[in-house]
Amino acid sequence: MAETSIEWTDATWNPVAGCSIESDGCKFCYAMRMAARLEAMGVEKYQGLTRKSGGRAKWTGRVTLDRKSLSIPATWSKARRVFVNSMSDLFHEDVPAEFIRDVWSVMAETPRHTYQILTKRPRRMTEVLKRDDFPVLQNVWLGTSVEDGRVLARLNELRDVPAAVRFVSFEPLIGSVAKANLSEIHWAIVGGESGPGARHMEPGWVDEIEALCRRAGTAFFFKQWGGRNKKATGRTLNGRTYDEMPASECIMQI
């Protein structure tokens, strides 16, 4: 719930903490390491969310709902792009739809902010957001994470989500997604895995995604090459930096 160094957003907001492993992209999740660190510091919200296994922190599957944090966006007077639940998944099966509705109400009441929500569970996202008490909010962008070709079905599920903006995060990119269909996807973020145990990302996989974006009219954002030291590898691709965002006219048409 603070300023962040994540390149595609301005701040993070975590009304939920904790998660569970969903697919291979979760293997070295930074949020697991961070949650374990916060638990060791005595932060109540993160108690019991991780366990040590194989020498590293892993989710226990428990989630914590933090109602106190719901009031935070209203205290930010300056408009921000806000990454919702960088330490969890709002559409985790153990987050009640009623709590998601409370988060929705906060976002509706603070239209000056742009909220960016990522999930590895787009099917549940669709099930919840098709309810009558979840209006489409123009300031809420909805996305899914796709780490390789094995989970491309998430893009089809994302297309079913009622949303002003749909986006995909190809991070950590651990395999080719050359067969991805980016129709009706307005923004694509690409990044290699970072931190201990980071898996290699082939440059050709990134070039494939950029080509897919150009054909589909999808904004292309290259976040990082990753590796153990992501600052050393940087974020330039073919000699330039790509910081494209969804076009404002595209957002208004949806």
Side-chain angles (χ1 to χ4, degrees):
M1 290 169 285
E3 304 299 319
T4 179
S5 60
I6 298 172
E7 291 81 358
W8 46 265
T9 197
D10 301 317
T12 60
W13 173 46
N14 285 287
V16 181
C19 202
S20 55
I21 300 291
E22 181 70 10
S23 61
D24 203 25
C26 303
K27 185 174 182 179
F28 299 115
C29 175
Y30 76 92
M32 291 192 294
R33 300 195 305 271
M34 180 61 69
R37 194 175 307 159
L38 291 168
E39 180 177 14
M41 292 168 59
V43 180
E44 182 180 357
K45 179 174 176 176
Y46 293 93
Q47 300 304 304
L49 301 187
T50 63
R51 59 183 175 85
K52 274 292 183 69
S53 176
R56 67 178 191 270
K58 292 186 179 179
W59 295 123
T60 61
R62 175 184 168 187
V63 300
T64 300
L65 308 182
D66 183 10
R67 290 197 170 275
K68 292 181 180 178
S69 74
L70 292 176
S71 62
I72 290 175
T75 69
W76 295 333
S77 58
K78 182 181 177 181
R80 305 181 184 200
R81 286 196 299 264
V82 182
F83 179 18
V84 181
N85 282 338
S86 62
M87 298 296 293
S88 184
D89 187 330
L90 185 63
F91 293 95
H92 188 281
E93 52 271 17
D94 289 338
V95 179
E98 291 70 26
F99 187 82
I100 299 172
R101 186 179 59 215
D102 292 341
V103 172
W104 217 252
S105 296
V106 172
M107 297 188 296
E109 292 164 3
T110 52
R112 62 187 175 277
H113 303 314
T114 298
Y115 294 93
Q116 301 156 310
I117 302 175
L118 263 177
T119 185
K120 284 187 172 68
R121 300 160 175 86
R123 184 174 301 175
R124 182 163 191 249
M125 178 190 276
T126 301
E127 291 171 357
V128 172
L129 298 186
K130 282 190 173 180
R131 288 174 33 162
D132 292 340
D133 49 344
F134 285 92
V136 174
L137 300 178
Q138 294 298 309
N139 64 324
V140 175
W141 301 1
L142 299 174
T144 192
S145 299
V146 172
E147 65 263 25
D148 60 25
R150 292 173 291 179
V151 292
L152 286 176
R154 291 177 185 164
L155 290 171
N156 293 329
E157 293 165 356
L158 180 64
R159 269 183 280 273
D160 286 338
V161 177
V165 172
R166 298 183 190 90
F167 70 102
V168 56
S169 175
F170 293 111
E171 184 189 6
L173 185 63
I174 58 174
S176 172
V177 292
K179 295 183 179 180
N181 176 5
L182 295 183
S183 65
E184 300 179 70
I185 308 299
H186 308 103
W187 187 36
I189 303 164
V190 183
E193 194 163 53
S194 61
R199 290 161 285 185
H200 177 68
M201 179 175 68
E202 290 288 341
W205 301 342
V206 183
D207 291 336
E208 288 171 349
I209 295 172
E210 187 193 358
L212 290 171
C213 287
R214 301 311 172 210
R215 289 198 291 270
T218 301
F220 176 76
F221 192 107
F222 184 64
K223 181 176 178 285
Q224 64 185 35
W225 284 105
R228 188 170 183 88
N229 184 349
K230 66 178 183 180
K231 290 185 178 179
T233 56
R235 55 185 304 263
T236 58
L237 172 66
N238 299 324
R240 59 166 288 190
T241 301
Y242 291 84
D243 286 337
E244 298 172 14
M245 303 294 284
S248 58
E249 61 268 22
C250 174
I251 298 169
M252 291 170 62
Q253 288 172 2
I254 299 165

